[in-house]
């Protein structure tokens, strides 16, 4: 299972674009990159998943360089409600015990 | 509503006691994953079942056990409870395209 490294915490302001980068130097050929969002006392929620280049949905964009050793979750025009913990996960979709780690605690300021 | 149902939402019990947490995966999902999250900690993988069989095991204590029944619901049994077992316990099911879908969790408080 590829180990991931992401910042412990980040602060930003409402209306700004926030980019959270995750390093995964040992990513395997079959691994996907998946990001989750967790609010206090709630279960994590799937945000976006990608394999290479760029993926965009209604919530976020995921940028993956050609070497796939890192990825960047981009949240456009954040609001106070985007304050949460964001987890970067790397693994084959057949992996049976994905490790979540401690994630990045994002704090949005007014 | 994520489609993954966990009961009860809250549980308060004394040290030394035993409790059972219940999880029903999304309709059609065969897998159930159990995670423990202590205060301000990451999610710790405990155990996974797939279609009634144990598939993977993480850092699950010997005092904890789980099973998945023919109707695919799962139960996590925690016995000889200690204060340190106080945590949020989540279950999840998973698909290849949508990743993990988590339930709303059971908050266990051991006093």
């Amino acid at each position: 299972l590829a180990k991931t490294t992401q910042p412990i915490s980040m602060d930003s302001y409402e209306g700004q674009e926030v980019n959270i980068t995750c390093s995964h130097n040992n990513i395997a050929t079959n691994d996907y990159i998946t990001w989750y969002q967790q609010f206090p006392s709630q279960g994590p929620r799937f945000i976006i998943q990608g394999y290479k280049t760029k993926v965009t949905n209604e919530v976020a964009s995921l940028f993956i360089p050609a070497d796939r050793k890192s990825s960047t979750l981009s949240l456009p025009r954040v609001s106070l409600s985007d304050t949460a913990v964001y987890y970067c996960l790397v693994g084959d979709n057949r992996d049976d015990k994905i490790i979540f780690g401690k994630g990045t605690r994002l704090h949005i300021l007014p | 509503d994520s489609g993954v149902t966990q009961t009860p939402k809250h549980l308060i019990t004394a040290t030394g006691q035993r409790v059972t947490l219940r999880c029903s995966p999304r309709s059609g999902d065969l897998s159930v994953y159990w995670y423990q999250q202590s205060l301000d900690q990451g999610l710790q993988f405990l155990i996974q079942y797939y279609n009634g069989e144990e598939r993977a095991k993480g850092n699950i204590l010997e005092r904890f056990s789980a099973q998945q029944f023919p109707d695919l619901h799962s139960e996590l049994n925690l016995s000889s409870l200690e204060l340190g077992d106080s945590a949020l316990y989540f279950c999840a099911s998973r698909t290849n395209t949508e990743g993990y879908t988590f339930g709303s969790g059971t908050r266990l408080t051991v006093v």
Side-chain angles (χ1 to χ4, degrees):
Chain A
L1 297 174
K3 178 178 168 58
T4 61
T5 302
Q6 51 183 125
I8 293 174
S9 66
M10 292 179 64
D11 290 340
S12 187
Y13 291 92
E14 280 192 292
Q16 298 294 306
E17 177 184 78
V18 172
N19 296 312
I20 306 175
T21 297
C22 179
S23 297
H24 28 80
N25 291 321
N26 296 324
I27 190 169
T29 303
N30 294 330
D31 285 345
Y32 283 78
I33 301 156
T34 312
W35 285 81
Y36 291 82
Q37 175 192 56
Q38 185 180 26
F39 297 115
S41 298
Q42 295 184 27
R45 181 176 70 104
F46 173 92
I47 299 176
I48 197 166
Q49 179 174 276
Y51 182 80
K52 62 180 180 180
T53 62
K54 176 183 174 182
V55 179
T56 297
N57 62 22
E58 64 279 6
V59 176
S61 294
L62 178 59
F63 297 92
I64 306 168
D67 66 5
R68 304 203 323 125
K69 293 184 183 299
S70 66
S71 59
T72 299
L73 174 73
S74 181
L75 305 173
R77 297 180 300 281
V78 294
S79 64
L80 295 176
S81 63
D82 291 316
T83 294
V85 178
Y86 292 81
Y87 297 94
C88 164
L89 274 66
V90 172
D92 186 319
N93 280 328
R94 295 172 296 177
D95 285 336
D96 290 329
K97 48 180 181 178
I98 299 291
I99 306 301
F100 271 76
K102 295 196 174 181
T104 297
R105 191 173 297 273
L106 176 65
H107 186 204
I108 305 301
L109 303 166
Chain B
D1 181 6
S2 67
V4 177
T5 305
Q6 287 188 252
T7 57
K9 291 192 182 304
H10 302 278
L11 201 49
I12 301 175
T13 190
T15 54
Q17 295 298 304
R18 172 189 168 96
V19 297
T20 297
L21 312 183
R22 181 187 170 107
C23 169
S24 294
R26 290 189 315 175
S27 177
D29 287 352
L30 302 178
S31 62
V32 170
Y33 298 75
W34 285 99
Y35 284 84
Q36 178 193 55
Q37 187 171 40
S38 302
L39 188 64
D40 290 334
Q41 296 295 309
L43 286 151
Q44 300 295 319
F45 171 73
L46 296 178
I47 198 164
Q48 181 219 354
Y49 280 82
Y50 183 85
N51 202 20
E53 294 189 2
E54 182 183 305
R55 175 68 67 88
K57 187 177 280 192
N59 299 322
I60 187 167
L61 300 173
E62 287 190 8
R63 300 184 285 109
F64 296 1
S65 65
Q67 55 184 325
Q68 185 178 27
F69 295 87
D71 67 352
L72 300 177
H73 92 272
S74 176
E75 293 181 356
L76 178 67
N77 301 297
L78 314 176
S79 61
S80 303
L81 285 167
E82 302 174 359
L83 296 178
D85 297 326
S86 296
L88 271 165
Y89 291 84
F90 291 104
C91 80
S93 57
R94 190 180 77 174
T95 66
N96 287 345
T97 55
E98 298 177 29
Y100 288 89
T101 299
F102 283 81
S104 57
T106 294
R107 180 176 294 281
L108 173 66
T109 302
V110 182
V111 297

